[in-house]
Amino acid sequence: MKKKITLTLNGSQIHVTADSHQSLLDVLRNSLRLTGTKEGCGEGECGACTVLIDSRAVNSCLYPAFEAGGKNVTTIEGVADKKNQLATIQQAFVDNGAIQCGFCTPGMIISAKALLDTHPNPTEAEIREALSGNLCRCTGYVQIVEAVKKAANRLRDKP
Ligand code: FES
Ligand code: FES
């Protein structure tokens, strides 16, 4: 069954037709051509497909597209600011060497954003917990955790 859904995607209201069997990830990548959100396992294990839905980090591969109707969805394409400058958290990943092949990076950044938006001063344990659903096959976890710490510091220091 097909249905037109309306959602807010990266700050803009959009309409898209989806099928009842489609995941939000499928619609984002294949209907809307927003390919920043990655498909790894397709089974909720790797976190590569993480997006924010109403400020909560969610595995979009398991999230039915129909359920996104009326919700506020943010993908990695919506994280940079309006002038297309990297967000603080993205810049911290770059500065900290936290990106190797980059496949896990969009999901990592979205999970980190979900944390920092609600916990501006997280402990290392809280950072590791927030990222525990995101796998990095390049195993760059130390740099990734350091990047989130740096982003938190920079965000707190912002005027
Ligand atoms: S692709 Fe969704 S969790 Fe792996
Ligand atoms: S940077 Fe390659 S998977 Fe994480």
Side-chain angles (χ1 to χ4, degrees), residues 5 19-24 59-69:
I5 54 174
D19 213 303
S20 52
H21 72 268
Q22 277 188 296
S23 66
L24 176 59
N59 288 330
S60 62
C61 69
L62 296 182
Y63 197 89
F66 279 9
E67 294 287 316

Side-chain angles (χ1 to χ4, degrees), residues 98-105 108 135-140 144:
I99 304 168
Q100 295 183 66
C101 79
F103 191 83
C104 71
T105 309
M108 289 284 184
L135 304 183
C136 175
R137 61 190 177 185
C138 303
T139 68
I144 289 168

Side-chain angles (χ1 to χ4, degrees), residues 29-102:
R29 287 184 57 86
N30 297 316
S31 304
L32 298 168
R33 310 304 298 165
L34 289 178
T35 55
T37 305
K38 303 303 181 206
E39 176 160 19
C41 64
E43 298 177 347
E45 298 291 336
C46 74
C49 64
T50 308
V51 300
L52 292 180
I53 299 181
D54 292 341
S55 306
R56 202 164 55 88
V58 168
N59 288 330
S60 62
C61 69
L62 296 182
Y63 197 89
F66 279 9
E67 294 287 316
K71 303 250 172 36
N72 205 331
V73 177
T74 304
T75 68
I76 191 67
E77 288 88 350
V79 170
D81 73 14
K82 293 274 179 283
K83 292 181 209 127
N84 249 347
Q85 285 193 329
L86 291 181
T88 300
I89 188 161
Q90 292 173 305
Q91 191 62 54
F93 269 61
V94 172
D95 294 345
N96 229 68
I99 304 168
Q100 295 183 66
C101 79

